[in-house]
C-alpha cells in the first residue's frame, strides 16, 4: 500500500445470493467530504447490487431454453449424419 494513501471501504455481505458472498465498495474521496449518512451509502450499494444481479425473469429462462433446443437439434443432426453415412457405405 502506498504510504499516506487512505481509502474507505464498505463491505456488503450478500448471504442470499447464489453467486456472491460479499461485495466490496471503495468510497470516492468526494463522497467522504460530503459527510453523507451511512444509510444513504448502503442504500446506494444495495441499488448497484440489485442492478447487476443475474436476470431470473421468465424471459431470461426462455432464452436459455432456446440454447437447449439448439443443442438437441445439433445432436440429432449428428446422429442422423452418422446413420446415413453407415447406410451408404
Amino acid at each position: 500500500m502506498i504510504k499516506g494513501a487512505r481509502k474507505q471501504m464498505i463491505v456488503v455481505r450478500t448471504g442470499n445470493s447464489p453467486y456472491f458472498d460479499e461485495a466490496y465498495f471503495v468510497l470516492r474521496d468526494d463522497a467522504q467530504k460530503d459527510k453523507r449518512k451511512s444509510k444513504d451509502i448502503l442504500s446506494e450499494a444495495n441499488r448497484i447490487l440489485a442492478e447487476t444481479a443475474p436476470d431470473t425473469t421468465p424471459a431470461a429462462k426462455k432464452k436459455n431454453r432456446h440454447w437447449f433446443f439448439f443443442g438437441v437439434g445439433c445432436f440429432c443432426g449428428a446422429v442422423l449424419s452418422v446413420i446415413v453415412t453407415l447406410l451408404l457405405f
Side-chain angles (χ1 to χ4, degrees):
M1 182 170 200
I2 300 172
K3 185 176 182 178
R6 188 177 131 212
K7 294 279 185 179
Q8 290 186 353
M9 184 173 62
I10 292 179
V11 178
V12 178
R13 288 179 174 69
T14 57
N16 58 353
S17 173
Y19 302 105
F20 303 106
D21 288 330
E22 296 177 338
Y24 298 94
F25 293 93
V26 178
L27 295 177
R28 296 171 48 159
D29 291 333
D30 57 349
Q32 295 171 10
K33 293 176 185 173
D34 286 346
K35 296 181 181 177
R36 296 181 185 241
K37 294 181 180 178
S38 62
K39 288 183 181 181
D40 294 337
I41 293 172
L42 284 175
S43 65
E44 178 69 12
N46 286 325
R47 183 191 64 81
I48 293 170
L49 287 174
E51 286 180 1
T52 58
D55 192 10
T56 57
T57 60
K61 291 179 182 178
K62 188 175 183 181
K63 182 179 179 183
N64 292 336
R65 197 176 326 146
H66 289 302
W67 283 108
F68 172 74
F69 289 129
F70 175 76
V72 169
C74 288
F75 178 74
C76 290
V79 169
L80 184 63
S81 296
V82 169
I83 291 173
V84 169
T85 303
L86 290 175
L87 289 176
L88 291 178
F89 295 107

